[in-house]
Amino acid sequence: MIEAELKARVQDVESVQAALSARSAGQRSRYQDVYFDSADGRLSSEGRELRLRTITADDGRRALLTYKEPAVDTTSGSKPEYETEVADPAAIDSMLRGLGLTNLVSFEKRCLNYRFTSEGRELLATLVTIPELDGTFIELETMVAESELTEALKVVRTTLYQLGISDSDLTTEQYTDAVLATRRKPELP
């Protein structure tokens, strides 16, 4: 399956949140993400991602292991995605490290998730803040077969417009790159 997704910076958080709340109730959660790579950086250089995510929400805690292949659509950055729930994230972490993978980057995402249907597609809209990054982001996605990607991205884009997000707000910058760049900045005296 392909994660047909567009991501944008949110200029008017209150307005977008109100528009999302009119579609569904939001659920707050905290994601603790750990991205892995080979020692030579091969996964990242090939556009692949391997992530261990622990999600904490009002309804409990769960962990997911996600593998993403290189983007099949360069404009949106949409990628084939494979994901499975894991019972013991510490065991998975040990296994991946035992296989020679290293921690590329770890960070926290504070999320407000909204699930709703638009034009017959099940969508997930997530308002995201990352303590190390300025601003709020929105991710809007749906899972589709590759043959449906173009049509699904049209629905995602139209829905973003309806929420008040314009093309100039869109970004394909990955959180991993942004967090790493922030951590590399020298501190001012």
Side-chain angles (χ1 to χ4, degrees):
M1 296 294 283
I2 307 291
E3 179 186 51
E5 177 184 55
L6 290 173
K7 180 171 68 173
R9 288 192 169 272
V10 178
Q11 304 303 322
D12 184 348
V13 177
E14 287 180 16
S15 174
V16 171
Q17 190 169 349
L20 287 167
S21 293
R23 293 173 181 251
S24 80
Q27 181 185 29
R28 291 196 181 280
S29 34
R30 184 176 52 85
Y31 298 176
Q32 186 59 49
D33 288 349
V34 180
Y35 286 82
F36 293 87
D37 204 341
S38 55
D40 62 2
R42 191 181 91 239
L43 293 176
S44 295
S45 69
E46 294 174 353
R48 299 175 190 278
E49 297 175 49
L50 184 60
R51 176 186 69 213
L52 180 59
R53 169 176 283 169
T54 302
I55 302 169
T56 306
D58 290 339
D59 60 354
R61 189 175 186 165
R62 65 190 183 115
L64 302 170
L65 182 64
T66 307
Y67 168 66
K68 295 184 182 186
E69 293 182 349
V72 294
D73 180 80
T74 54
T75 303
S76 67
S78 295
K79 297 179 171 196
E81 179 178 300
Y82 309 92
E83 189 167 76
T84 189
E85 193 157 352
V86 297
D88 186 348
I92 296 296
D93 182 86
S94 294
M95 288 177 203
L96 295 174
R97 291 174 193 276
L99 291 169
L101 297 175
T102 61
N103 178 334
L104 172 66
V105 65
S106 300
F107 57 88
E108 178 183 296
K109 287 174 68 175
R110 296 174 186 161
C111 301
L112 188 52
N113 295 303
Y114 298 86
R115 294 184 184 281
F116 57 92
T117 302
S118 183
E119 297 184 38
R121 294 209 178 268
E122 294 293 319
L123 298 176
L124 172 62
T126 305
L127 289 176
V128 176
T129 57
I130 297 173
E132 295 174 76
L133 303 179
D134 291 331
T136 298
F137 299 86
I138 186 170
E139 302 168 5
L140 187 61
E141 66 185 62
T142 186
M143 297 302 289
V144 298
E146 191 166 355
S147 61
E148 301 174 291
L149 181 60
T150 301
E151 200 56 42
L153 285 171
K154 287 179 187 175
V155 172
V156 169
R157 186 178 300 272
T158 298
T159 305
L160 283 173
Y161 291 153
Q162 293 167 355
L163 296 171
I165 303 297
S166 70
D167 280 346
S168 63
D169 299 323
L170 295 175
T171 180
T172 56
E173 182 179 33
Q174 294 186 359
Y175 298 126
T176 52
D177 294 338
V179 168
L180 285 169
T182 298
R183 291 180 183 172
R184 288 185 193 121
K185 287 182 183 175
E187 289 188 31
L188 298 176

